Amino acid sequence: MFLAMRTEVEAALTGALDHCGYPTDDLGIEEPPDDLDSVLASSVAFRLAGDAGAPPPAVADELAAEIDPDEYSYIGRVETRGPYINVWPSEQYFAETLDAAQDDQFGTLPDQETSVVVEHTSANPTGPVHVGRARNPIIGDALARVLEYAGYDVERHYYVNDAGRQIAVFTWAYEFFDEAALPEPERDSPEYEMVRYYRQANTYLEEEASEAEVEAAEDEIQSIMQGLEAGDESAYERVGEVVDTVLGGMRDTLERLPAEFDKFVKETQFMRDGSTNEIVDRLKETEYAVFDEEAWQLELPDIDKNLVFVRGDGTSLYTTRDLAHHEWKFDNFDRAVTVLGEDHELQARQLRSALEILGNDTDRLGTVHYSWVTLPEGGMSTREGTGIDLDDLLDEAISRARKEVEDRLDDRVRDDDLTEDDIDRIAEQVGIGAVRYDIVSKQPTKGITFEWERALDFEAQSAPYVQYVHARASGIIAEAHEEGAVDPASLDIAPDVTALDTAAERDLLREIARFPAVIEEAAEDLQPHVVATYTRELAEAFNGFYRECPVLDADEETRDARLALVVAARHAVGNALDAVGVQAPDSM
């Protein structure tokens, strides 16, 4: 209903401005002051004061007088405070919100008839996923979920770097070293077993090998790279064995978050099908291409650093192949969104500029940059040579969450129905949810220092704090079933909203009504953290309602209406958590 009300407010303001002879290009619609329970406000009077020759409060009064709430379904009343025009919702707004939120799909927007490919993570397949890069799959998966809630047809892609020098070194190392001479793997998982070869290669080439041995190794590494460029099937097979093995283990780790992919798109696809060579030929023909004895480069408009797209030895670079990759995206999807670390900002600018030179519409391309995740000193043990792997962080999160759950059970009589399996399930939901929520709730461009105490705080604005609201709402509904109370989700008629007349009830309804608009905003701006912020605000409103408004002990009419409100809140908080990829437990 919030979206519908906003449309009505836009129409009402436009009509008032037009009637008073003011321009209607900027309505100044924004959130109301915190101390008002209105739903929308407008600061348009600030803009018009000069033209009107009157102070902003007088302009606001003039416009408000032109708006008749009786002409609209969702506008209840309009009042001014100083230069602001504030709008309150009607009773119909609350009634339709309560009714709409009985649907367990509440918050899902209509089909946009637009396909979007979201590329995220895309870490080089050279070893386990590192904590510092954990923000990419978490943001990427949350963004894909938000876009799906907003009505887009979404595919999740992992772009696999299987053609660069690192992979050639890895392939050579896998064939060169005897496994018996390597240290034991840190985990029984393919990527941990394989990364030993890569690390050994770096040590060998940098510290142990003679000049002749290094030269021999470099010849073989270069041969692998040249073979890929030349379309040598044996080179593709050699590299593929290493890459696919490592990716298999990385996928298992990412699925723990969860972050799953519809497709793993390999760089070599665009070498094998000839599209990389085609890109090179087209770039060479542009006015921006220059050649010296080192390489072919593009002199890009408004970017100081040239883009090298072919080395002196004739091999292409990552960005060259990524240009072919992006044109493939544009051929197959309406929009393309990529999640990248802040260290790739220059590369992203170069890519966009080169795509424009090639004649592509880059308005279809969206990019989300993120900063790194770090841990406080002493926060976790590290393994020499590996830093802190994502698997370590998730294991620690589950362990700490389990202890928190057990401590809380010790503080009260243990529920006989809560088995060890239940505790394990809750610990995993809470632990991994805490990691994911703490990371996705921050603006991507801001650095994060992950702190356990904050992430797992059941009383603060954390994942457990929000998850507990879903569990509490689920518990109320379950108890209502046991007592034979009315289950509004099974009724064919709308619950009676007039019985919900306290400030706490109306505050909760206002927050529930905002959910579809929050999804729309997060999808439009590619900012899933907006949804996480909303879940905290919704949780606060529910907890205020829970403290002040007994549900099952109220009189029958009030009980039924409040139970409907609990169902609505459960759907809103559950779907909002799902939109950022955090599980919503039914019990905690």
Side-chain angles (χ1 to χ4, degrees):
M1 293 310 107
F2 183 90
L3 293 173
M5 181 180 178
R6 188 175 65 191
T7 299
E8 286 194 349
V9 170
E10 290 171 353
L13 282 171
T14 299
L17 289 165
D18 188 59
H19 188 269
C20 294
Y22 297 125
T24 61
D25 54 316
D26 182 4
L27 302 178
I29 294 176
E30 57 187 60
E31 293 185 4
D34 291 337
D35 61 340
L36 288 183
D37 59 0
S38 58
V39 170
L40 289 168
S42 171
S43 60
V44 68
F46 280 112
R47 175 175 64 83
L48 300 174
D51 293 338
V59 177
D61 289 339
E62 178 187 11
L63 293 172
E66 295 295 327
I67 300 175
D68 181 3
D70 291 339
E71 295 180 1
Y72 300 94
S73 299
Y74 305 121
I75 297 176
R77 74 178 195 272
V78 179
E79 296 179 3
T80 61
R81 178 196 277 187
Y84 291 95
I85 303 170
N86 298 293
V87 185
W88 277 260
S90 67
E91 197 68 12
Q92 183 175 341
Y93 175 89
F94 288 116
E96 292 191 18
T97 293
L98 186 62
D99 183 43
Q102 300 307 301
D103 186 347
D104 61 7
Q105 298 300 306
F106 178 66
T108 303
L109 303 186
D111 188 355
Q112 302 290 331
E113 297 184 353
T114 302
S115 61
V116 183
V117 56
V118 177
E119 177 201 331
H120 68 85
T121 308
S122 301
N124 288 344
T126 53
V129 183
H130 190 274
V131 163
R133 298 280 182 177
R135 206 168 186 181
N136 197 316
I138 289 173
I139 292 174
D141 186 73
L143 179 57
R145 289 169 176 267
V146 166
L147 288 167
E148 284 182 330
Y149 267 87
Y152 294 93
D153 180 13
V154 178
E155 274 198 22
R156 299 157 173 82
H157 286 191
Y158 188 123
Y159 186 48
V160 182
N161 178 357
D162 64 336
R165 174 178 165 80
Q166 285 181 309
I167 298 302
V169 170
F170 202 161
T171 302
W172 164 79
Y174 180 63
E175 296 169 349
F176 182 78
F177 293 108
D178 187 345
E179 182 181 10
L182 301 177
E184 288 296 312
E186 293 153 357
R187 283 178 183 261
D188 182 18
S189 186
E191 76 275 34
Y192 289 88
E193 295 172 4
M194 293 293 290
V195 75
R196 297 175 298 161
Y197 294 95
Y198 184 65
R199 292 180 186 148
Q200 184 63 32
N202 290 327
T203 301
Y204 174 79
L205 294 173
E206 294 171 8
E207 303 174 10
E208 299 175 353
S210 66
E211 185 175 338
E213 289 170 330
V214 169
E215 184 176 348
E218 289 294 343
D219 285 345
E220 183 59 26
I221 292 166
Q222 187 66 18
S223 173
I224 294 171
M225 294 178 66
Q226 292 284 0
L228 296 175
E229 292 283 346
D232 182 354
E233 285 298 326
S234 65
Y236 290 131
E237 290 175 6
R238 292 165 67 188
V239 167
E241 181 179 359
V242 171
V243 168
D244 292 343
T245 302
V246 175
L247 273 179
M250 294 174 72
R251 290 176 70 171
D252 291 341
T253 298
L254 293 168
E255 286 173 4
R256 297 180 67 187
L257 286 172
E260 299 180 352
F261 296 88
D262 299 301
K263 186 174 294 186
F264 285 76
V265 181
K266 293 183 176 180
E267 274 188 280
T268 49
Q269 170 182 329
F270 306 103
M271 301 167 75
R272 301 174 85 161
D273 66 9
S275 56
T276 299
N277 288 336
E278 181 188 350
I279 288 287
V280 169
D281 292 340
R282 289 162 59 197
L283 290 175
K284 286 180 179 179
E285 293 175 359
T286 69
E287 61 183 295
Y288 304 95
V290 295
F291 177 77
D292 59 28
E293 60 186 19
E294 297 294 329
W296 279 93
Q297 305 177 46
L298 283 186
E299 294 180 338
L300 300 171
D302 303 321
I303 299 178
D304 293 336
K305 187 176 178 60
N306 287 358
L307 171 64
V308 177
F309 63 92
V310 179
R311 298 185 184 92
D313 62 7
T315 56
S316 59
L317 288 89
Y318 177 91
T319 305
T320 323
R321 299 184 287 272
D322 204 18
L323 287 169
H325 174 212
H326 273 75
E327 289 201 331
W328 174 81
K329 290 182 184 180
F330 291 153
D331 286 342
N332 290 278
F333 300 92
D334 298 316
R335 291 177 57 194
V337 177
T338 309
V339 181
L340 294 170
E342 60 186 3
D343 57 333
H344 288 81
E345 287 188 28
L346 174 60
Q347 175 192 319
R349 290 173 57 213
Q350 290 177 322
L351 177 77
R352 181 181 291 271
S353 183
L355 285 168
E356 290 172 353
I357 288 171
L358 291 169
N360 294 281
D361 177 12
T362 56
D363 288 342
R364 297 165 60 192
L365 177 62
T367 306
V368 177
H369 289 287
Y370 65 92
S371 188
W372 311 122
V373 177
T374 58
L375 298 174
E377 287 187 7
M380 289 183 64
S381 63
T382 61
R383 296 189 176 101
E384 184 177 354
T386 65
I388 302 170
D389 297 322
L390 181 57
D391 282 310
D392 295 328
L393 183 69
L394 298 181
D395 287 348
E396 183 79 1
I398 294 169
S399 175
R400 288 177 180 247
R402 196 180 205 286
K403 184 177 185 305
E404 182 72 25
V405 171
E406 289 175 335
D407 288 347
R408 286 174 169 266
L409 287 173
D410 290 341
D411 291 339
R412 62 180 187 268
V413 177
R414 180 184 284 266
D415 186 342
D416 291 337
D417 293 333
L418 199 61
T419 66
E420 287 298 312
D421 288 343
D422 291 330
I423 296 174
D424 288 341
R425 171 184 52 79
I426 294 170
E428 183 163 347
Q429 290 175 324
V430 172
I432 292 181
V435 170
R436 182 163 181 142
Y437 187 92
D438 194 68
I439 289 175
V440 79
S441 64
K442 309 298 190 304
Q443 288 189 12
T445 53
K446 293 183 177 180
I448 294 177
T449 299
F450 183 84
E451 297 174 350
W452 293 111
E453 290 74 16
R454 181 191 66 228
L456 287 168
D457 190 342
F458 279 65
E459 309 303 326
Q461 293 185 338
S462 61
Y465 175 78
V466 179
Q467 287 173 313
Y468 200 74
V469 165
H470 188 270
R472 178 168 277 165
S474 299
I476 293 171
I477 295 167
E479 188 175 350
H481 277 298
E482 292 175 3
E483 294 184 5
V486 174
D487 175 11
S490 67
L491 293 180
D492 294 328
I493 60 173
D496 184 6
V497 77
T498 61
L500 304 174
D501 55 5
T502 69
E505 291 164 329
R506 291 302 168 107
D507 285 346
L508 180 53
L509 267 175
R510 266 186 287 269
E511 286 301 323
I512 292 169
R514 289 179 51 224
F515 180 38
V518 169
I519 289 291
E520 181 185 67
E521 176 189 351
E524 183 174 332
D525 297 337
L526 304 180
Q527 294 185 338
H529 74 274
V530 170
V531 182
T533 300
Y534 167 76
T535 65
R536 293 197 295 262
E537 295 166 349
L538 179 60
E540 289 175 357
F542 182 87
N543 286 333
F545 160 78
Y546 181 81
R547 286 191 301 269
E548 299 179 23
C549 304
V551 178
L552 300 181
D553 293 337
D555 64 83
E556 184 174 347
E557 181 182 10
T558 304
R559 178 203 66 188
D560 293 350
R562 287 178 177 171
L563 186 55
L565 184 55
V566 171
V567 170
R570 181 179 184 272
H571 288 158
V573 74
N575 289 343
L577 284 173
D578 183 61
V580 292
V582 175
Q583 292 193 52
D586 290 332
S587 61
M588 284 180 65

